Amino acid sequence: MTAALDWVAAHRDRFALDGAALAADGQVNRTWKPLGELAQVCATATACLPPGDPLHRAASGLLDFAWRQTGEGELFPRMQALEPFATYPLEVYAAFASAGLRHPGYEAAAAVVARTRGWRLTEQYPTRRLGVLAAERRSGIPPHGEAAGTLGRTWLGGLPEPWTFERASGYALTHVVFHLTDWGRTATGMPPDLAEYLLHWLPPWLDTCLEARMWDLGCELLAVAAALPRAPAPEVLDDAWRRIASAQHARGAVPEEGAIQDAAAPDGGDPYPFTDCYHSTLMAAFAGVLTTGRRDATADGGPPHAPRARGQGVPG
């Protein structure tokens, strides 16, 4: 966890927004998406780690950096003016709002749009809709629908045959859990039947992903395991963390998938392109924060979702 967050800090300028962030033909997946993912991981880390922890300071510094990239929220109203019915600005903003970084003007403007029929009727996959409802709630905007009805239309919410699990459904289910648990902070939104289903089938799915060297999805599944009301067997998680650790480069980067590169690049730099490892490295740090926080809270006799991680118990 420490090494992963150190790698992110060393590469923070790669998360910076540039002119393409406001361009009509800008690539959101290369601008706002990485920044929003950085903000979300760091927002959760600062909530889970005690203030005196060096990792808390590192995550807090990265969160402040990400907030400055948005002009301390000023870019969100501009994005809304450019794309009034795009949901990704609110989804990114919600990560900051959950950490107390807010822009009242944007929230007021977004609330107006959220009351329109056009916003309510935007066609989306159910998992994405669940994320928008969560983003509204985290941003102080009355949700435009009910999460329960949306959940039933997701792959995970339907409790499908476990053998139908594959890459797309895997990423969908992890995000359903993240939206239900406020990104791992609480299990109160997790229906009991869904929690029991995941407790039973998550271990073989996790094993399958790691066997296939799908490190990114494996880290997301580990984060899901740490967000459940009851964790899978310790030996399952310990084995998974050992395998993730074996895939982590000495510099801290974790590849998204495929063969592991032990050596540095010819110029002495990272063995992977930034786009091929930034998300998986963030997810390794995210899963590490939740896993360690759960272990610490449980060891101290507290509830499993009052994490107070100290950077121990999982690989770097």
Side-chain angles (χ1 to χ4, degrees):
M1 179 170 61
T2 302
L5 202 59
D6 285 347
W7 183 91
V8 172
H11 293 77
R12 72 175 196 172
D13 288 345
R14 299 296 302 273
F15 293 90
L17 295 179
D18 56 23
L22 295 176
D25 58 349
Q27 298 184 33
V28 173
N29 286 344
R30 292 184 177 274
T31 55
W32 287 98
K33 183 174 181 287
L35 187 75
E37 290 163 344
L38 174 67
Q40 182 56 72
V41 169
C42 292
T44 296
T46 55
C48 294
L49 299 165
D53 191 308
L55 289 176
H56 182 285
R57 290 195 294 271
S60 181
L62 287 167
L63 185 61
D64 288 343
F65 164 81
W67 184 238
R68 290 195 301 273
Q69 291 302 306
T70 73
E72 298 187 342
E74 287 295 328
L75 290 190
F76 290 108
R78 293 175 63 183
M79 284 303 304
Q80 185 175 45
L82 293 170
E83 298 184 76
F85 295 97
T87 60
Y88 71 87
L90 181 64
E91 293 171 90
V92 173
Y93 176 79
F96 293 108
S98 71
L101 299 171
R102 311 189 78 122
H103 190 287
Y106 172 67
E107 290 183 15
V112 172
V113 174
R115 291 196 294 268
T116 66
R117 291 189 298 275
W119 179 269
R120 295 196 305 271
L121 299 173
T122 299
E123 296 187 15
Q124 297 164 321
Y125 286 113
T127 301
R128 184 70 179 275
R129 177 74 71 179
L130 200 63
V132 173
L133 292 171
E136 290 171 336
R137 185 177 62 254
R138 299 168 96 199
S139 304
I141 298 171
H144 71 276
E146 294 293 329
T150 303
L151 174 61
R153 295 193 299 275
T154 67
W155 184 86
L156 179 60
L159 303 179
E161 299 84 356
W163 49 265
T164 62
F165 174 90
E166 39 77 45
R167 183 193 300 266
S169 57
Y171 279 109
L173 85 83
T174 62
H175 283 72
V176 165
V177 173
F178 298 157
H179 299 323
L180 292 177
T181 64
D182 193 15
W183 289 83
R185 297 183 194 183
T186 175
T188 57
M190 179 76 67
D193 60 339
L194 203 124
E196 286 299 316
Y197 177 83
L198 284 170
L199 185 66
H200 191 73
W201 292 112
L202 189 65
W205 292 341
L206 178 59
D207 179 67
T208 296
C209 288
L210 296 179
E211 184 67 25
R213 299 187 296 191
M214 298 168 64
W215 313 115
D216 184 62
L217 183 52
C219 287
E220 290 204 10
L221 291 173
L222 277 169
V224 167
L228 294 178
R230 188 155 55 98
E235 56 269 22
V236 171
L237 301 181
D238 290 344
D239 176 69
W241 275 114
R242 281 193 294 269
R243 292 156 82 175
I244 293 294
S246 72
Q248 186 175 34
H249 190 265
R251 289 176 174 265
V254 177
E256 283 203 2
E257 59 182 44
I260 302 163
Q261 301 293 331
D262 294 324
D267 61 358
D270 289 317
Y272 311 106
F274 178 79
T275 53
D276 292 345
C277 67
Y278 88 84
H279 187 267
S280 41
T281 305
L282 277 174
M283 289 300 101
F286 178 59
V289 165
L290 295 181
T291 301
T292 307
R294 183 187 188 109
R295 290 179 180 177
D296 286 354
T298 302
D300 291 343
H305 292 276
R308 294 182 289 107
R310 292 189 291 272
Q312 302 169 351
V314 296

